[in-house]
Amino acid sequence: MSRIDYSVWDHIEVSDDEDDIHPNIDTPSLFRWRHQARVERMEEFQKKGEELNKGLSECRRKLADTQKKIKELTISTSEDAKAELSKVQAEEKKMKKEERDWERKVGDYQREEKKMPWNVDTLSKDGFSKSIVNVKPETEETEEEKEQKHKTFVEKYEKEIKHFGMLRRWDDSQKYLSDHPHLVCEETANYLVIMCIDLEVEEKHALMEQVAHQTIVMQFILELAKSLKVDPRGCFRQFFAKIKTADQQYQEAFNDELESFKERVRGRAKIRIEKAMKEYEEEERQKRIGPGGLDPVEVYESLPTEMQKCFDEKDIQMLQEVISKMDPTVAKAHMKRCIDSGLWVPNAKGDDGEEKGDEKGDEKDDEPTYEEIQHEKEEAKKE
């Protein structure tokens, strides 16, 4: 059995254990003055810590917004976006430097806090305000392992996760997690994010916003656990205790993150819808592809207006006249593309049993109509 280390008690600052008191000084009053001065020093030190953490959080929020903007600009292909991208990347570099400065200041503050002597006020604080669940340190997981872990978890607890996503009241959420502590994990947060995007794609906007609220609840719990370096299952009660009695600043931070998350969900849903539309259009285009691998719609739109009119009216005679007036090379190129797309089918028989484009019904080569027109054109030149 390991021995308990009592050395932490060696430097305890207590205001009422001092003997060097002048006989003319009221001892109880002196103790009160010293105690009050110490309390004021502690409050001032605590305020400094809160300001440092606030500054770090604000810096990280701005950095996240900047990085989000970089992703959006990277996707865009416009020249204005490319010009703005370099400016935003420079801003990101500046924000990262500021973040490191804030982290250094917070680290200095935390080290200074650990060196401070204990006193009657700190000793009287609740020493069991947080629960810690002992867990073995985990090795870094591969992407495949994470994906499989997520899939297995969802298959087992999908119904419970969805139930949590539909809750509204703080007390209901806390009680449900108390009954189902295994839900307090990254897998639940990831599933809720996907659920939000699915709901937005289905245009169930109100329901998406409800699930988004629960998603941020879970993410705040996970962030709190990360900052305390404890298992999330051991600190979710602290989150609810804090959010239910939160000051305006903490509540605003939660609401800001929630609104930002909902905007990201809407953006992601929009991208998914656009992608689905493109895939659908591509499938429809593939169905139309002609024997030569060309799309008849695209070929039709590339034709001269006169040729388009011929196909609109299905007038072969008009088409022959239009082609006869065109440059032979250009005309041949257009007709080849029409054949490759299936817009023009050589040797195809009409309702009267004759081949289209051939008034006599004789057999033709691959481009019968075009060759016939060219022959007539050459004969006309000789005459």
Side-chain angles (χ1 to χ4, degrees):
M1 184 175 178
S2 60
R3 298 180 59 190
I4 299 174
D5 182 11
Y6 292 98
S7 62
V8 294
W9 301 91
D10 292 342
H11 303 288
I12 298 176
E13 177 187 358
V14 183
S15 61
D16 55 356
D17 64 351
E18 301 171 54
D19 297 324
D20 55 340
I21 307 299
H22 194 278
N24 294 334
I25 296 178
D26 179 18
T27 303
S29 297
L30 178 62
F31 289 165
R32 285 195 299 272
W33 295 337
R34 286 178 175 173
H35 177 260
Q36 181 62 32
R38 185 174 63 245
V39 169
E40 290 175 356
R41 289 198 305 272
M42 288 172 57
E43 289 176 349
E44 189 173 327
F45 185 78
Q46 186 177 3
K47 185 178 179 182
K48 177 184 175 182
E50 291 173 352
E51 290 175 351
L52 288 172
N53 285 316
K54 180 182 176 182
L56 178 58
S57 298
E58 181 65 17
C59 180
R60 284 175 174 171
R61 185 186 67 78
K62 291 180 179 178
L63 177 59
D65 290 341
T66 303
Q67 290 172 334
K68 175 187 173 185
K69 192 171 182 181
I70 288 174
K71 289 181 181 179
E72 293 173 351
L73 292 171
T74 303
I75 297 173
S76 177
T77 56
S78 65
E79 292 299 322
D80 292 340
K82 291 180 181 178
E84 189 177 359
L85 179 60
S86 60
K87 295 180 182 179
V88 179
Q89 286 175 334
E91 182 67 19
E92 180 195 26
K93 187 176 180 180
K94 179 182 176 184
M95 293 301 301
K96 284 184 176 179
K97 183 179 181 300
E98 289 184 14
E99 182 186 29
R100 290 193 295 271
D101 292 339
W102 280 111
E103 288 175 343
R104 179 181 54 77
K105 291 177 182 178
V106 170
D108 292 343
Y109 172 86
Q110 291 173 343
R111 284 188 288 274
E112 186 178 352
E113 184 181 35
K114 288 181 180 179
K115 293 178 183 178
M116 290 181 67
W118 290 6
N119 55 59
V120 67
D121 298 294
T122 53
L123 285 172
S124 62
K125 286 187 177 180
D126 182 7
F128 300 95
S129 60
K130 67 179 180 181
S131 302
I132 300 178
V133 179
N134 291 326
V135 290
K136 294 181 180 179
E138 297 182 358
T139 56
E140 189 69 24
E141 295 177 321
T142 64
E143 288 301 320
E144 292 77 11
E145 289 173 338
K146 288 180 181 178
E147 185 177 346
Q148 184 57 44
K149 182 180 178 183
H150 175 80
K151 183 180 179 181
T152 304
F153 184 86
V154 169
E155 287 175 352
K156 189 173 182 180
Y157 300 115
E158 184 175 17
K159 187 176 179 181
E160 295 176 9
I161 299 172
K162 286 183 175 180
H163 183 89
F164 174 76
M166 301 300 174
L167 297 176
R168 293 179 179 274
R169 298 175 63 248
W170 297 118
D171 291 337
D172 292 339
S173 296
Q174 182 176 350
K175 185 177 185 308
Y176 195 76
L177 292 181
S178 297
D179 296 337
H180 305 82
H182 52 274
L183 295 182
V184 188
C185 61
E186 289 283 352
E187 285 70 33
T188 295
N190 293 339
Y191 183 86
L192 290 173
V193 171
I194 296 169
M195 188 176 172
C196 287
I197 298 173
D198 289 340
L199 290 170
E200 184 64 19
V201 169
E202 295 169 9
E203 297 187 354
K204 298 177 181 178
H205 307 300
L207 196 54
M208 180 279 286
E209 293 187 358
Q210 172 56 37
V211 178
H213 179 275
Q214 295 300 92
T215 306
I216 299 304
V217 167
M218 187 58 63
Q219 289 183 348
F220 260 60
I221 293 172
L222 296 175
E223 285 300 317
L224 177 61
K226 191 182 294 183
S227 66
L228 296 176
K229 296 181 180 179
V230 298
D231 190 291
R233 294 168 293 178
C235 71
F236 69 87
R237 292 178 182 84
Q238 288 176 262
F239 163 76
F240 287 108
K242 191 171 184 179
I243 196 68
K244 286 188 285 187
T245 59
D247 56 21
Q248 186 178 359
Q249 180 182 337
Y250 190 77
Q251 190 66 54
E252 285 178 354
F254 181 91
N255 292 335
D256 288 346
E257 184 60 33
L258 175 58
E259 292 304 315
S260 177
F261 174 71
K262 287 190 288 190
E263 283 301 313
R264 292 196 294 273
V265 167
R266 294 186 187 105
R268 176 58 61 182
K270 184 179 179 182
I271 291 173
R272 186 189 288 186
I273 291 170
E274 291 174 350
K275 183 179 179 182
M277 289 298 295
K278 288 180 180 178
E279 289 176 352
Y280 173 78
E281 290 172 357
E282 179 59 24
E283 287 177 4
E284 291 299 307
R285 195 182 76 85
Q286 290 297 328
K287 291 177 184 178
R288 297 192 304 260
I289 295 299
L294 298 182
D295 182 355
V297 175
E298 294 177 0
V299 171
Y300 172 83
E301 292 175 350
S302 69
L303 294 175
T305 307
E306 296 82 2
M307 288 188 72
Q308 288 181 355
K309 187 177 180 182
C310 298
F311 283 103
D312 291 340
E313 299 184 9
K314 300 178 181 179
D315 191 327
I316 296 176
Q317 183 62 36
M318 184 189 300
L319 180 62
Q320 292 173 346
E321 292 175 359
V322 170
I323 292 176
S324 65
K325 297 175 183 178
M326 296 174 65
D327 179 272
T329 305
V330 175
K332 186 172 182 179
H334 279 309
M335 289 306 299
K336 185 179 186 310
R337 295 183 74 243
C338 288
I339 293 170
D340 289 343
S341 66
L343 195 61
W344 175 264
V345 182
N347 302 327
K349 292 186 178 182
D351 296 336
D352 57 358
E354 293 185 348
E355 295 174 351
K356 291 181 180 179
D358 182 10
E359 296 177 356
K360 296 180 181 179
D362 296 334
E363 290 185 358
K364 300 289 180 180
D365 57 15
D366 288 342
E367 297 179 13
T369 304
Y370 175 75
E371 295 296 338
E372 182 182 40
I373 293 170
Q374 288 300 107
H375 177 70
E376 292 176 356
K377 190 175 179 181
E378 293 298 325
E379 289 297 323
K381 284 183 179 179
K382 290 178 181 178
E383 292 177 1

